[in-house]
Amino acid sequence: PTRGHKDMIRLEYGDTFLGGDFAFYKFVGEHISNFPITRNNIFRFRVQVGYADTMEDENELPIFERFFMGGENTLRGYGLRTIGPRDEFNRIVGGEKSFLVNIENNFLITNELRIVPFFDAGNTFDDKIDLDDLYMSAGVELRFFMPMMNIPLRFIYSRPLNAEEFHNTNSFQFTIGQIF
């Protein structure tokens, strides 16, 4: 897209009376904006907030319903699902809350080729969302849209700006598909 906005709200619900093993709910809200600066320059950003919890005080939210970040669709430059709260053995266990911001500027070289500088910030949390505790990355992405399918090949060069020693980081990533 070259202009416009997209708002999305997703709610997941599971309960034991429906045959599930856990009673939980999960909410994700997302806003995406596209602003044309010039005909060949599009400013884009995404803000995403998530919240999940159990409906039974004695149970903990299962790891497969928790939030994780990292990878080419959330925090570029960090390894897939490597951002989130950790246990006492430094193993990632994911968070019950999440916050993510992606900012990018698309320079359209041709209809099929874009150069995209970007900045990403986000984290997952067990307690309240703390905007002072966000992991950040910046870099540039080359997107090539395959003409017959209009699906982008994405070549991503990124630098995590405040990675910790236990984070798996990647300076170069390759993927197929849109980020948002």
Side-chain angles (χ1 to χ4, degrees):
T2 57
R3 68 177 58 239
H5 309 282
K6 175 183 171 186
D7 294 300
M8 187 262 317
I9 295 176
R10 185 178 77 226
L11 179 65
E12 295 179 35
Y13 172 78
D15 208 330
T16 53
F17 80 86
L18 296 173
D21 294 330
F22 302 97
F24 75 96
Y25 60 95
K26 191 177 198 178
F27 164 83
V28 177
E30 181 177 70
H31 173 79
I32 298 171
S33 285
N34 300 283
F35 298 102
I37 297 179
T38 66
R39 186 171 169 259
N40 294 324
N41 184 357
I42 303 154
F43 178 79
R44 302 181 73 205
F45 74 87
R46 167 174 74 168
V47 176
Q48 186 182 79
V49 177
Y51 181 83
D53 203 356
T54 64
M55 293 183 290
E56 302 165 341
D57 291 336
E58 66 274 1
N59 288 335
E60 187 174 305
L61 191 66
I63 193 164
F64 51 84
E65 294 298 343
R66 292 175 164 267
F67 294 102
F68 296 87
M69 285 201 189
E72 63 275 357
N73 292 322
T74 57
L75 289 173
R76 293 167 274 197
Y78 291 90
L80 185 65
R81 298 174 57 98
T82 60
I83 303 291
R86 295 175 179 268
D87 66 11
E88 64 273 8
F89 302 108
N90 208 26
R91 295 179 299 210
I92 189 159
V93 294
E96 295 179 356
K97 297 156 194 73
S98 70
F99 180 80
L100 174 67
V101 174
N102 302 108
I103 300 170
E104 54 183 44
N105 199 359
N106 286 241
F107 293 99
L108 285 67
I109 308 304
T110 68
N111 286 337
E112 294 84 22
L113 185 64
R114 295 179 183 188
I115 295 177
V116 183
F118 65 85
F119 173 80
D120 299 333
N123 201 352
T124 64
F125 308 91
D126 271 335
D127 296 324
K128 66 181 176 81
I129 292 176
D130 181 3
L131 298 181
D132 292 328
D133 186 22
L134 299 179
Y135 292 101
M136 296 175 267
S137 67
V140 65
E141 188 173 317
L142 179 67
R143 291 185 189 154
F144 175 71
F145 288 81
M146 298 188 309
M148 303 250 285
M149 297 188 290
N150 202 27
I151 299 172
L153 299 175
R154 297 172 51 208
F155 301 91
I156 306 164
Y157 177 77
S158 58
R159 296 303 252 175
L161 301 178
N162 57 343
E164 299 186 42
E165 65 277 352
F166 52 77
H167 284 132
N168 178 13
T169 61
N170 303 310
S171 293
F172 182 77
Q173 295 169 307
F174 168 77
T175 190
I176 298 173
Q178 295 281 7
I179 179 172
F180 56 88

